[in-house]
Amino acid sequence: MSEIRIKRIDLTRDYEAHEREYQQAIERVCRETAFSGGKYADAFDREFAAYVGVPYACGVNNGTSALHLAMLALGVGPGDEVIVPANTYIATAWGVSYTGAKPVFVDCTPDTWEIDPKEAEKAVTGATKGILGVHLYGQPFDYEGVRKVAEKHGLFVAEDCAQAHGAEFEGKNVGSLGEMGCFSFYPGKNLYAFGEGGSITCKEEKHYRHMTRLKNQGCDVRYYHDEIGYNYRLEGIQGAVLRVSLKYLPRWTARRREIGRRYLQEITNPLITMQAHPENTNPVFHLFVVQIEERDKFLAYMAEAGVECNLHYPVPCHLQKAYADLGYKKGDCPNAERLAEHCVTLPLFPEMREDEIDRVIALCNEFA
């Protein structure tokens, strides 16, 4: 393997470009010792809600906690089922499982690789409480199709937006569509913290207040615990860092779209299959995932050329050992399984140089 010359993602370039702003933001928190929740976390909540286009954003310690609290606020619990795509990161399912409910995995479409509304409808039972869709890789799922299924059966629709900050469905930001939008700010996300962070966006004050109580040990008033709660607060330092990054998110998103569209237009090798992006969506290219029949050969080829690629994700949720007790088997979600066996993630991040983009495109087109 050659020395890596083009990383799949390189966070050092963002830090070097904005180091002074980040350090000043962190220093303010330290001087005021506003470490756990507090004014800087609260200020980020207000600014992020405005960015998404909703009345409320509830900052939490990570994206998995965001999913957990969203399910609790929507009344999910033991005996309930929530429909979840098999093609996603496992934390989507954790949010359901943590409540004592059962995730029901359904297949993705063969072209967008997002949750298939038809498969979701087939999975509805008398125990189904809602549908948790994922805007995977930064591509919005078919919200209209999922919403029609939900309305027909009296279900909620929640959004896992962990990879889709700023993505749009029919002109509206993801996180403003369903009852809840769950975001992660894990390092490497389109908007990321210097550690862990997450947020739940919503429209109803009752949900916001409930989640705020839950993340604060079940308290509205300190030391008076109205229900079993959690220590899920967003740290003040992360809130301050995220406020700096949020200013640059539109610029970063524009650059991601520029690179993503270059890949879509200029990678013409018929051995490489691209994700479909319907015209009523505007993706943000958190990950640029392709399918390749001879995946191992391609990975070795790119590594030899000094280009780092990753796999997102090599095992679909329904075939994970953690969910073996649910009884799924290979063949239950064929599109998700095919993607897992052939997926490759190409380098894409806002600070990529033109020569690096050119190199990735050329290598992809030269692969045989």
Side-chain angles (χ1 to χ4, degrees):
M1 182 184 293
S2 299
E3 179 184 355
I4 295 175
R5 295 191 293 277
I6 302 177
K7 293 183 178 181
R8 212 280 297 165
I9 183 170
D10 187 351
L11 300 183
T12 62
R13 297 183 188 182
D14 166 46
Y15 182 74
E16 289 168 358
H18 304 107
E19 179 177 1
R20 182 174 175 79
E21 278 187 274
Y22 285 131
Q23 290 291 352
Q24 288 176 338
I26 292 169
E27 185 175 354
R28 284 193 293 271
V29 176
C30 292
R31 288 187 180 279
E32 297 181 37
T33 63
F35 296 126
S36 183
K39 63 187 274 189
Y40 296 102
D42 292 344
F44 171 71
D45 284 348
R46 293 191 295 272
E47 292 165 12
F48 189 63
Y51 171 82
V52 173
V54 294
Y56 306 104
C58 182
V60 290
N61 58 338
N62 59 59
T64 307
S65 297
L67 291 157
H68 182 198
L69 293 192
M71 293 299 101
L72 289 175
L74 289 168
V76 176
D80 293 329
E81 296 177 355
V82 176
I83 295 168
V84 177
N87 176 38
T88 185
Y89 182 59
I90 197 69
T92 308
W94 290 161
V96 177
S97 295
Y98 290 172
T99 70
K102 174 184 173 184
V104 175
F105 297 111
V106 299
D107 208 359
C108 59
T109 67
D111 53 355
T112 67
W113 309 335
E114 307 292 335
I115 187 170
D116 187 334
K118 294 178 181 176
E119 294 300 314
E121 181 154 32
K122 292 178 186 177
V124 174
T125 71
T128 306
K129 191 88 171 183
I131 303 172
L132 177 53
V134 183
H135 305 295
L136 199 66
Y137 315 139
Q139 167 57 45
F141 66 83
D142 179 6
Y143 179 77
E144 183 180 4
V146 170
R147 172 55 73 186
K148 286 179 179 177
V149 174
E151 289 178 348
K152 180 179 176 180
H153 297 280
L155 311 175
F156 69 72
V157 179
E159 307 167 68
D160 183 336
C161 311
Q163 301 183 0
H165 317 65
E168 298 174 347
F169 179 85
E170 297 188 348
K172 294 183 178 180
N173 273 352
V174 301
S176 70
L177 304 170
E179 280 74 14
M180 299 281 180
C182 302
F183 291 83
S184 168
F185 305 127
Y186 179 81
K189 302 295 187 185
N190 295 28
L191 176 66
Y192 67 93
F194 286 8
E196 301 279 355
S199 182
I200 313 109
T201 55
C202 63
K203 302 165 191 169
E204 294 194 34
E205 183 178 5
K206 67 176 182 179
H207 291 325
Y208 170 72
R209 292 193 177 280
H210 188 193
M211 292 185 293
T212 299
R213 182 192 311 135
L214 287 169
K215 76 176 183 181
N216 282 302
Q217 307 283 15
C219 293
D220 287 325
V221 178
R222 194 175 187 186
Y223 302 129
Y224 292 83
H225 306 273
D226 301 320
E227 61 182 312
I228 293 174
Y230 306 87
N231 184 4
Y232 282 178
R233 290 181 295 271
L234 178 68
E235 294 180 349
I237 285 176
Q238 305 305 348
V241 166
L242 287 163
R243 292 183 73 197
V244 174
S245 295
L246 187 58
K247 295 189 298 183
Y248 297 102
L249 182 57
R251 183 190 306 177
W252 295 339
T253 299
R255 180 58 173 161
R256 283 180 178 276
R257 286 172 172 154
E258 182 181 348
I259 299 168
R261 285 166 183 151
R262 278 202 64 190
Y263 282 176
L264 288 170
Q265 293 167 7
E266 298 178 38
I267 297 175
T268 57
N269 190 335
L271 299 178
I272 298 175
T273 301
M274 305 284 191
Q275 183 184 24
H277 303 284
E279 290 185 0
N280 64 342
T281 67
N282 196 5
V284 290
F285 299 103
H286 168 62
L287 300 171
F288 198 93
V289 176
V290 299
Q291 287 196 57
I292 300 173
E293 289 294 326
E294 295 186 88
R295 179 172 67 185
D296 292 344
K297 178 182 175 182
F298 180 82
L299 289 170
Y301 161 80
M302 294 296 272
E304 183 60 31
V307 177
E308 181 183 37
C309 297
N310 296 144
L311 305 181
H312 294 88
Y313 299 96
V315 182
C317 291
H318 69 295
L319 298 181
Q320 293 284 355
K321 186 177 180 181
Y323 285 119
D325 64 312
L326 297 182
Y328 290 97
K329 61 185 184 303
K330 193 166 185 179
D332 286 341
C333 298
N335 294 327
E337 292 163 25
R338 174 173 175 76
L339 182 61
E341 292 168 358
H342 298 93
C343 63
V344 174
T345 306
L346 303 179
L348 194 158
F349 54 96
E351 298 80 15
M352 280 185 81
R353 301 190 307 267
E354 292 302 313
D355 65 297
E356 294 173 325
I357 300 166
D358 292 341
R359 177 67 171 155
V360 172
I361 292 170
L363 286 168
C364 286
N365 286 333
E366 291 164 10
F367 176 70

